[in-house]
Amino acid sequence: MSAPSGAATSEVAVRLLDGFAVQRSARDVALPPSGQRLVAYLALRTGANRTAAAAALWPETPEEKSQASLRTAVWRVNRAVPGLVVAQGTRVGLAQDTVVDNREFTDRIRCMLRPPAAHRPPPVDEDGYTWLLSGELLPGWYDDWVLLEQERTRQLRLHALEAGAYRMTAQGRHAGALELAFEAVRLEPLRESATRAVIAVHLSEGNAVDAVRHYEWFRRLLADELGLPPSAQLTALTRGGIPAPASPPVMEK
């Protein structure tokens, strides 16, 4: 969908991670609640059918009224940020050059998780993947059209945190590796692969006691919450039955 003359340019950015905001020339732009929801909905897509957008944003409203609400929301957004929302025919979307942080964030994760070429190791992130330590999509939003996107972003981030922890461990950067691994545990305490990353970092550093301590914490948590034991593989890793893995399983695109 191409933007008409006078549409928004790359100076307009939509923030969805760790809170919603629209910025123009690095300054926040105030939008009414209906405008915020419209922009967020469109920022999670490359475009949408008008009828589908109206139904998603105003699900309990008759179609004629929801379509009118959509037109009003488009008008209000474009009054605040001219050209940000492009409506053409049956389609509606954000102007092509709009920067959306969640798109950039997930694209960066996909590049990170792409299997490296056989003849070279994974690239080194000089910042220690600190950009992964935040990135919750639209916290506090509970619309049906948000929930699946929140989970998708969360899962990508979990995989990236674990992969980053293993990569930093391989580089001998154990403190940073633990920070990433513990962030994965914080996001999902019952996720065994996150606990495995923590234990692997401890073992790589020679801290067997810390590895066992974290294993026992996870074992109790799993028993209390789900009535399940840890996997035999995790137990063997912790008890020294197998070496700590050098890298997590590759996540294919």
Side-chain angles (χ1 to χ4, degrees):
M1 181 182 298
S2 60
S5 177
T9 64
S10 57
E11 69 178 358
V12 178
V14 177
R15 190 183 76 209
L16 304 179
L17 299 176
D18 303 315
F20 176 87
V22 173
Q23 294 185 325
R24 187 173 190 181
S25 300
R27 294 186 178 184
D28 288 349
V29 177
L31 293 179
S34 62
Q36 293 180 23
R37 293 175 70 249
L38 172 62
V39 170
Y41 178 85
L42 297 177
L44 292 173
R45 292 156 180 78
T46 55
N49 177 275
R50 282 176 181 263
T51 301
L57 293 168
W58 293 274
E60 299 179 0
T61 304
E63 181 178 349
E64 183 177 347
K65 188 171 182 181
S66 67
Q67 290 282 356
S69 297
L70 176 62
R71 290 192 294 271
T72 299
V74 170
W75 177 81
R76 286 177 173 170
V77 170
N78 284 339
R79 183 177 64 171
V81 186
L84 177 56
V85 177
V86 180
Q88 293 180 341
T90 62
R91 305 288 294 175
V92 62
L94 297 184
Q96 276 188 339
D97 292 337
T98 306
V99 175
V100 179
D101 65 348
N102 189 56
R103 296 177 187 174
E104 295 184 335
F105 184 69
T106 54
D107 284 348
R108 191 174 182 183
I109 287 176
R110 289 191 186 97
C111 288
M112 173 189 172
L113 295 177
R114 190 175 298 142
H119 62 280
R120 66 174 185 269
V124 174
D125 188 303
E126 297 297 338
D127 294 329
Y129 302 102
T130 55
W131 53 276
L132 287 168
L133 295 176
S134 61
E136 183 181 358
L137 180 67
L138 293 173
W141 291 47
Y142 303 105
D143 303 79
D144 288 343
W145 51 269
V146 174
L147 295 177
L148 183 61
E149 296 297 330
Q150 288 173 330
E151 180 62 13
R152 182 178 72 91
T153 300
R154 191 178 75 91
Q155 287 294 329
L156 280 172
R157 186 174 162 219
L158 281 165
H159 279 92
L161 284 164
E162 292 166 6
Y166 284 108
R167 289 185 188 181
M168 293 189 71
T169 298
Q171 297 159 12
R173 302 161 71 184
H174 294 100
L178 278 176
E179 189 172 15
L180 295 177
F182 274 119
E183 177 64 10
V185 171
R186 185 193 69 80
L187 285 177
E188 185 47 80
L190 296 173
R191 183 180 173 94
E192 183 165 307
S193 57
T195 278
R196 187 182 300 117
V198 172
I199 291 172
V201 178
H202 282 317
L203 292 177
S204 175
E205 202 171 9
N207 293 325
V209 172
D210 287 330
V212 172
R213 183 183 294 121
H214 189 77
Y215 170 85
E216 289 297 333
W217 170 84
F218 179 71
R219 183 187 62 78
R220 291 191 298 269
L221 179 67
L222 203 59
D224 291 344
E225 295 292 331
L226 300 178
L228 295 172
S231 70
Q233 291 84 355
L234 184 67
T235 301
L237 169 65
T238 308
R239 302 302 182 187
I242 58 176
S247 62
V250 172
M251 179 184 177
E252 299 292 345
K253 288 187 68 179

